[in-house]
mmCIF file of all heavy atoms in Angstrom:
data_model
loop_
_atom_site.group_PDB
_atom_site.id
_atom_site.type_symbol
_atom_site.label_atom_id
_atom_site.label_comp_id
_atom_site.label_asym_id
_atom_site.label_seq_id
_atom_site.Cartn_x
_atom_site.Cartn_y
_atom_site.Cartn_z
ATOM 1 N N GLU A 156 -9.863 -2.845 1.522
ATOM 2 C CA GLU A 156 -10.877 -2.339 0.572
ATOM 3 C C GLU A 156 -10.196 -1.465 -0.500
ATOM 4 O O GLU A 156 -10.526 -1.609 -1.699
ATOM 5 C CB GLU A 156 -11.915 -1.510 1.330
ATOM 6 C CG GLU A 156 -12.812 -2.374 2.234
ATOM 7 C CD GLU A 156 -13.833 -1.523 2.956
ATOM 8 O OE1 GLU A 156 -13.913 -0.302 2.635
ATOM 9 O OE2 GLU A 156 -14.531 -2.055 3.822
ATOM 10 N N ALA A 185 -5.365 -13.808 -6.432
ATOM 11 C CA ALA A 185 -4.894 -12.752 -5.544
ATOM 12 C C ALA A 185 -5.948 -12.373 -4.527
ATOM 13 O O ALA A 185 -5.658 -12.167 -3.319
ATOM 14 C CB ALA A 185 -4.486 -11.529 -6.366
ATOM 15 N N GLU A 213 1.208 -16.406 -3.205
ATOM 16 C CA GLU A 213 1.302 -15.068 -2.693
ATOM 17 C C GLU A 213 2.042 -14.117 -3.647
ATOM 18 O O GLU A 213 1.830 -12.914 -3.639
ATOM 19 C CB GLU A 213 2.015 -15.067 -1.346
ATOM 20 C CG GLU A 213 1.167 -15.603 -0.186
ATOM 21 C CD GLU A 213 1.085 -17.116 -0.135
ATOM 22 O OE1 GLU A 213 1.637 -17.750 -1.038
ATOM 23 O OE2 GLU A 213 0.465 -17.672 0.782
ATOM 24 N N PRO A 223 7.689 -4.589 -8.037
ATOM 25 C CA PRO A 223 8.853 -5.440 -7.979
ATOM 26 C C PRO A 223 9.163 -5.854 -6.533
ATOM 27 O O PRO A 223 9.046 -5.082 -5.612
ATOM 28 C CB PRO A 223 10.000 -4.578 -8.531
ATOM 29 C CG PRO A 223 9.326 -3.463 -9.254
ATOM 30 C CD PRO A 223 8.034 -3.227 -8.548
ATOM 31 N N ALA A 235 33.467 -20.825 -3.775
ATOM 32 C CA ALA A 235 33.051 -22.034 -4.490
ATOM 33 C C ALA A 235 32.352 -23.054 -3.583
ATOM 34 O O ALA A 235 31.372 -23.680 -3.986
ATOM 35 C CB ALA A 235 34.272 -22.674 -5.161
ATOM 36 N N LYS A 252 17.855 -29.851 3.090
ATOM 37 C CA LYS A 252 19.133 -30.454 2.658
ATOM 38 C C LYS A 252 20.102 -30.575 3.822
ATOM 39 O O LYS A 252 20.804 -31.589 3.968
ATOM 40 C CB LYS A 252 19.728 -29.634 1.487
ATOM 41 C CG LYS A 252 21.074 -30.154 1.018
ATOM 42 C CD LYS A 252 21.614 -29.308 -0.110
ATOM 43 C CE LYS A 252 22.974 -29.843 -0.591
ATOM 44 N NZ LYS A 252 23.523 -29.062 -1.699
ATOM 45 N N PHE A 269 27.358 -28.991 6.528
ATOM 46 C CA PHE A 269 27.951 -28.103 7.500
ATOM 47 C C PHE A 269 28.256 -26.734 6.904
ATOM 48 O O PHE A 269 27.995 -25.715 7.504
ATOM 49 C CB PHE A 269 29.281 -28.727 8.043
ATOM 50 C CG PHE A 269 30.010 -27.809 8.971
ATOM 51 C CD1 PHE A 269 29.606 -27.659 10.282
ATOM 52 C CD2 PHE A 269 31.164 -27.129 8.535
ATOM 53 C CE1 PHE A 269 30.300 -26.808 11.162
ATOM 54 C CE2 PHE A 269 31.828 -26.304 9.383
ATOM 55 C CZ PHE A 269 31.413 -26.131 10.718
ATOM 56 N N GLN A 281 20.011 -11.969 6.773
ATOM 57 C CA GLN A 281 19.351 -12.187 5.485
ATOM 58 C C GLN A 281 19.731 -11.104 4.463
ATOM 59 O O GLN A 281 18.936 -10.736 3.569
ATOM 60 C CB GLN A 281 17.851 -12.239 5.636
ATOM 61 C CG GLN A 281 17.409 -13.441 6.506
ATOM 62 C CD GLN A 281 15.894 -13.641 6.558
ATOM 63 O OE1 GLN A 281 15.188 -12.962 5.869
ATOM 64 N NE2 GLN A 281 15.462 -14.558 7.356
ATOM 65 N N GLY A 297 14.830 5.892 -8.826
ATOM 66 C CA GLY A 297 13.469 6.361 -8.604
ATOM 67 C C GLY A 297 12.453 5.248 -8.537
ATOM 68 O O GLY A 297 11.256 5.543 -8.379
ATOM 69 N N CYS A 300 9.660 -0.060 -4.886
ATOM 70 C CA CYS A 300 9.546 -1.528 -4.852
ATOM 71 C C CYS A 300 9.445 -2.005 -3.405
ATOM 72 O O CYS A 300 9.410 -1.207 -2.473
ATOM 73 C CB CYS A 300 10.771 -2.134 -5.538
ATOM 74 S SG CYS A 300 12.361 -1.561 -4.865
ATOM 75 N N ARG A 304 13.166 -8.885 3.879
ATOM 76 C CA ARG A 304 14.307 -9.234 4.720
ATOM 77 C C ARG A 304 13.851 -9.536 6.144
ATOM 78 O O ARG A 304 12.995 -8.807 6.699
ATOM 79 C CB ARG A 304 15.313 -8.059 4.763
ATOM 80 C CG ARG A 304 16.568 -8.324 5.619
ATOM 81 C CD ARG A 304 17.399 -7.044 5.751
ATOM 82 N NE ARG A 304 18.642 -7.286 6.451
ATOM 83 C CZ ARG A 304 19.482 -6.353 6.843
ATOM 84 N NH1 ARG A 304 19.222 -5.086 6.528
ATOM 85 N NH2 ARG A 304 20.585 -6.645 7.493
ATOM 86 N N LYS A 313 15.327 4.074 -4.831
ATOM 87 C CA LYS A 313 16.720 4.384 -5.115
ATOM 88 C C LYS A 313 16.790 5.879 -5.480
ATOM 89 O O LYS A 313 16.073 6.334 -6.375
ATOM 90 C CB LYS A 313 17.260 3.503 -6.234
ATOM 91 C CG LYS A 313 18.750 3.682 -6.538
ATOM 92 C CD LYS A 313 19.177 2.683 -7.632
ATOM 93 C CE LYS A 313 20.621 2.781 -7.960
ATOM 94 N NZ LYS A 313 20.991 1.787 -9.034
ATOM 95 N N THR A 329 6.276 10.069 16.194
ATOM 96 C CA THR A 329 6.279 11.513 16.422
ATOM 97 C C THR A 329 7.417 12.209 15.689
ATOM 98 O O THR A 329 7.558 13.418 15.800
ATOM 99 C CB THR A 329 6.403 11.797 17.953
ATOM 100 O OG1 THR A 329 7.615 11.159 18.443
ATOM 101 C CG2 THR A 329 5.230 11.227 18.675
ATOM 102 N N GLN A 373 4.207 -2.876 25.698
ATOM 103 C CA GLN A 373 2.756 -2.724 25.749
ATOM 104 C C GLN A 373 2.042 -3.898 25.045
ATOM 105 O O GLN A 373 1.024 -4.417 25.547
ATOM 106 C CB GLN A 373 2.333 -1.387 25.085
ATOM 107 C CG GLN A 373 2.681 -0.182 25.914
ATOM 108 C CD GLN A 373 2.434 1.114 25.163
ATOM 109 O OE1 GLN A 373 1.779 1.093 24.089
ATOM 110 N NE2 GLN A 373 2.927 2.217 25.684
ATOM 111 N N ALA A 378 -1.094 -8.649 25.709
ATOM 112 C CA ALA A 378 -1.314 -10.075 25.388
ATOM 113 C C ALA A 378 -1.467 -10.882 26.681
ATOM 114 O O ALA A 378 -2.371 -11.738 26.802
ATOM 115 C CB ALA A 378 -0.164 -10.614 24.547
ATOM 116 N N GLU A 393 -14.957 -27.536 26.065
ATOM 117 C CA GLU A 393 -14.528 -28.860 25.597
ATOM 118 C C GLU A 393 -14.882 -29.933 26.635
ATOM 119 O O GLU A 393 -15.022 -31.121 26.229
ATOM 120 C CB GLU A 393 -12.987 -28.870 25.373
ATOM 121 C CG GLU A 393 -12.562 -27.947 24.237
ATOM 122 C CD GLU A 393 -11.071 -27.937 24.042
ATOM 123 O OE1 GLU A 393 -10.384 -28.618 24.866
ATOM 124 O OE2 GLU A 393 -10.619 -27.316 23.109
ATOM 125 N N SER A 400 -28.546 -31.788 27.638
ATOM 126 C CA SER A 400 -29.838 -31.100 27.621
ATOM 127 C C SER A 400 -29.685 -29.653 28.076
ATOM 128 O O SER A 400 -28.684 -29.298 28.741
ATOM 129 C CB SER A 400 -30.840 -31.830 28.492
ATOM 130 O OG SER A 400 -30.457 -31.752 29.863
ATOM 131 N N ARG A 414 -19.102 -21.090 41.558
ATOM 132 C CA ARG A 414 -17.669 -21.257 41.816
ATOM 133 C C ARG A 414 -16.954 -19.909 41.792
ATOM 134 O O ARG A 414 -16.151 -19.583 42.658
ATOM 135 C CB ARG A 414 -17.027 -22.189 40.824
ATOM 136 C CG ARG A 414 -15.580 -22.523 41.118
ATOM 137 C CD ARG A 414 -14.928 -23.316 39.970
ATOM 138 N NE ARG A 414 -14.887 -22.503 38.754
ATOM 139 C CZ ARG A 414 -13.981 -21.540 38.544
ATOM 140 N NH1 ARG A 414 -13.065 -21.240 39.445
ATOM 141 N NH2 ARG A 414 -13.979 -20.850 37.409
ATOM 142 N N GLN A 421 -14.114 -15.501 48.869
ATOM 143 C CA GLN A 421 -12.931 -15.917 49.568
ATOM 144 C C GLN A 421 -11.836 -14.855 49.485
ATOM 145 O O GLN A 421 -11.153 -14.576 50.451
ATOM 146 C CB GLN A 421 -12.416 -17.245 48.978
ATOM 147 C CG GLN A 421 -13.236 -18.433 49.363
ATOM 148 C CD GLN A 421 -12.742 -19.714 48.745
ATOM 149 O OE1 GLN A 421 -11.736 -19.684 48.019
ATOM 150 N NE2 GLN A 421 -13.408 -20.850 48.983
ATOM 151 N N GLU A 422 -11.693 -14.255 48.284
ATOM 152 C CA GLU A 422 -10.708 -13.197 48.138
ATOM 153 C C GLU A 422 -11.064 -12.007 49.019
ATOM 154 O O GLU A 422 -10.172 -11.375 49.617
ATOM 155 C CB GLU A 422 -10.644 -12.774 46.679
ATOM 156 C CG GLU A 422 -10.031 -13.858 45.775
ATOM 157 C CD GLU A 422 -10.100 -13.490 44.293
ATOM 158 O OE1 GLU A 422 -10.746 -12.439 43.992
ATOM 159 O OE2 GLU A 422 -9.550 -14.227 43.452
ATOM 160 N N ALA A 426 -8.837 -10.499 52.139
ATOM 161 C CA ALA A 426 -8.452 -9.055 52.185
ATOM 162 C C ALA A 426 -8.881 -8.485 53.549
ATOM 163 O O ALA A 426 -8.137 -7.722 54.166
ATOM 164 C CB ALA A 426 -9.098 -8.319 51.070
ATOM 165 N N GLY A 435 -4.704 -5.067 64.274
ATOM 166 C CA GLY A 435 -4.311 -5.734 65.510
ATOM 167 C C GLY A 435 -2.869 -5.553 65.889
ATOM 168 O O GLY A 435 -2.483 -5.819 67.020
ATOM 169 N N SER A 447 1.960 -1.443 82.282
ATOM 170 C CA SER A 447 2.748 -0.450 82.980
ATOM 171 C C SER A 447 1.909 0.289 84.031
ATOM 172 O O SER A 447 2.359 0.602 85.108
ATOM 173 C CB SER A 447 3.338 0.521 81.958
ATOM 174 O OG SER A 447 4.014 1.568 82.605
#
Side-chain angles (χ1 to χ4, degrees):
E156 290 180 8
E213 285 80 357
K252 179 180 179 179
F269 176 77
Q281 298 187 5
C300 54
R304 181 187 185 187
K313 185 176 180 181
T329 58
Q373 288 173 11
E393 294 179 357
S400 66
R414 185 189 66 77
Q421 287 178 1
E422 292 174 353
S447 176

